[in-house]
Amino acid sequence: MHELSIAESIVEAVQARTHEDQVRVVRVRIGKLAAVVPDALEFCFELAACGTPLEGARLEIAERPGRAHCRSCDQEFALPDLVLLCSCGSADLEILAGRELQVASVEVA
Amino acid sequence: MCSTCGCGTDDARVEHEHAPPDHDHGHDEHERTHTVELEQAVLARNDHLAQHNRDWLASQDIAAYNLMSSPGAGKTPLLERTVAACARQVSVIEGDQETVFDADRIRAAGARAVQVNTGAGCHLDAGMVHRALDKLQPEPGGVVFIENVGNLVCPALFDLGELAKVVIISVTEGDDKPLKYPHMFAAADLVVLNKTDLLPYVDFDTRRLVADARRLNPGVTVLPLSARTGEGLDAWLGWLGSSASVGFRPDVRTATPLT
C-alpha cells in the first residue's frame, strides 16, 4: 500500500510551503500510468492528514490519461496501460503523459 | 449575500430555505481561502534524497543495485552466492518488515549487512537507504546491494539512488507476472529469472516471460539462473561487472554452463 507513503509525501510537501496555515483543499495530478490508485490515495490522505493543518482537507485528484509518441511512425496516441505498442507494430515509444504524480495547488484558509 | 454564511456578492440575496436544489454546499466552502500554487512532484523529497545517495555512492566509487521481487523469489540466496564470488567488498542493506534473518544470512556469507525493518511499510525509500548507508559505512570501491522488501508493486515507485534496478522473478511464481505487475517490470534495468533448476517440475514458459517483459520494457535483458545450483551465475556476475566495472574472481564462479 504505497499510497500511504504517497499521501504522507503530499502532506509533507504541502506543509513545507504552508506551515501552520489551515489547508482546506489539496489538488493533485495523478497519471493513469503512475501506479497510484485514487481511491486508496484518498483513504490514506485522510489518515496522513490527521493531526496536521491539513486535517479535514479535501483531496481533489485530477487523473491524467496516458499518451505516447511512436518514434517509428511519428504518431501520437492514447496509452491506456504500460504495454508499449503502437498500431504500426513498433514498441519504440516515448511516454508523453500519464506518469504525473504532482501536487498542483492548495486552498489555504 | 447569503444571510447565513455570507457567500455571494452584496447585491445577491440567497436565503437557504428558498435556495435552488443545487445549493447544497457546506458553509465552509465559502470561507475565504486563497490559492497557493505548488506545482511540484509528490515524491520530490524522496527524489532529492535519492540523488544525494547517488552522488555520495558515485563519490565513493560504489556500485549500488536495488533488488526487487516478490517474497521468496530468491534474492537472499542470490546475494549469498554473489558475496562469495565478488572480488570487491560487498555490503548489503536488507529490507524486510520484520526480523533480522536476512542480515544474519548475509553476515554468515561474509559480507557487511544492515537490516532495515520497515514495520508496516511495504518498500524502502531513499531516506531509509540514506540512514542505512550511514550505518553500513560501505568500503569505497565496493558494491552495495539493497534487498528491497519482498513486493512486486510498491518498491517500483521509489528511487533509492541505485545504479540499477534488478527485478528477480522465480519460475515457481508463474510466467504471467510481467503483465500482472507491469510497473515493476517497466522499471527494471535487468530481469533475473531464478530457480531454473525447477523448470522441469513447473508449467513455466520462459519465452512468454521474456516476451511479456519486453512488451513493457523493450529490449530488457532477462538472465536465467539458479541461485541454488549456481547455474547461470556467471552471466549475472558478468552483467554486474559490465554494468559497473566491478571485479569478480573468476575462480570462485561456481556456475555450470547453460544448456
Side-chain angles (χ1 to χ4, degrees):
Chain A
M1 183 81 145
H2 55 276
E3 279 81 1
L4 185 56
S5 294
I6 303 287
E8 286 168 349
S9 299
I10 291 171
V11 171
E12 200 175 273
V14 171
Q15 257 201 291
R17 272 291 289 282
T18 59
H19 309 289
E20 293 307 309
D21 294 348
Q22 291 298 309
V23 176
R24 301 295 188 224
V25 180
V26 177
R27 297 186 189 93
V28 296
R29 275 192 291 271
I30 308 287
K32 291 267 197 192
L33 311 176
V36 171
V37 180
D39 281 353
L41 183 61
E42 273 180 49
F43 175 75
C44 292
F45 177 76
E46 223 178 290
L47 296 176
C50 256
T52 76
L54 283 80
E55 186 166 335
R58 191 171 71 239
L59 184 68
E60 289 183 2
I61 300 176
E63 283 197 83
R64 291 302 171 97
R67 281 200 78 70
H69 168 249
C70 176
R71 291 192 187 95
S72 300
C73 73
D74 208 31
Q75 78 169 304
E76 214 183 290
F77 56 95
L79 191 69
D81 53 42
L82 281 176
V83 173
L84 304 177
L85 189 64
C86 176
S87 56
C88 78
S90 169
D92 189 13
L93 306 184
E94 175 193 3
I95 296 181
L96 302 173
R99 286 199 151 140
E100 299 86 346
L101 197 51
Q102 287 171 314
V103 189
S105 64
V106 295
E107 289 296 319
V108 171
Chain B
M1 186 181 284
C2 172
S3 59
T4 308
C5 65
C7 67
T9 57
D10 282 342
D11 55 359
R13 186 178 176 80
V14 180
E15 291 185 0
H16 280 207
E17 56 269 33
H18 304 298
D22 63 346
H23 191 85
D24 59 352
H25 51 249
H27 290 172
D28 56 351
E29 286 182 43
H30 298 284
E31 174 187 51
R32 279 183 190 282
T33 62
H34 66 277
T35 306
V36 178
E37 301 287 340
L38 272 90
E39 291 301 339
Q40 71 175 74
V42 169
L43 294 177
R45 184 168 158 73
N46 183 77
D47 295 346
H48 174 80
L49 286 171
Q51 191 54 46
H52 184 83
N53 291 344
R54 188 168 281 119
D55 291 344
W56 183 81
L57 289 161
S59 75
Q60 303 294 306
D61 188 29
I62 294 170
Y65 300 92
N66 180 5
L67 306 190
M68 300 182 286
S69 77
S70 45
K75 296 184 293 299
T76 312
L78 179 61
L79 285 181
E80 289 171 319
R81 285 270 185 185
T82 309
V83 166
C86 190
R88 290 166 80 173
Q89 171 96 42
V90 172
S91 317
V92 179
I93 295 169
E94 283 289 350
D96 279 302
Q97 287 197 322
E98 298 294 346
T99 82
V100 293
F101 296 163
D102 283 359
D104 287 346
R105 285 175 63 176
I106 294 299
R107 285 187 203 109
R112 236 186 275 184
V114 165
Q115 183 78 47
V116 178
N117 286 133
T118 57
C122 50
H123 59 271
L124 295 177
D125 64 34
M128 294 175 195
V129 170
H130 177 76
R131 292 192 293 279
L133 284 171
D134 199 42
K135 195 171 169 199
L136 190 63
Q137 292 294 314
E139 202 161 281
V143 187
V144 170
F145 291 101
I146 304 161
E147 187 180 331
N148 219 311
V149 178
N151 179 343
L152 273 183
V153 183
C154 311
L157 258 74
F158 297 86
D159 184 8
L160 305 179
E162 70 280 68
L163 177 72
K165 287 175 163 58
V166 178
V167 174
I168 299 163
I169 171 97
S170 57
V171 302
T172 48
E173 292 167 61
D175 50 25
D176 56 357
K177 291 300 170 288
L179 295 185
K180 283 186 171 178
Y181 300 96
H183 295 279
M184 183 57 77
F185 286 86
D189 294 299
L190 175 76
V191 175
V192 168
L193 176 61
N194 192 20
K195 307 190 189 179
T196 51
D197 53 312
L198 299 180
L199 273 172
Y201 311 104
V202 292
D203 293 322
F204 186 94
D205 184 345
T206 304
R207 279 175 305 182
R208 179 185 176 190
L209 177 99
V210 173
D212 283 354
R214 288 183 181 159
R215 287 174 72 187
L216 303 159
N217 191 340
V220 71
T221 299
V222 180
L223 287 183
L225 59 81
S226 166
R228 194 175 72 85
T229 65
E231 182 186 54
L233 205 72
D234 48 354
W236 159 245
L237 298 175
W239 181 85
L240 287 172
S242 62
S243 66
S245 307
V246 176
F248 289 89
R249 293 196 303 266
D251 55 308
V252 290
R253 290 182 189 180
T254 52
T256 52
L258 275 172
T259 51

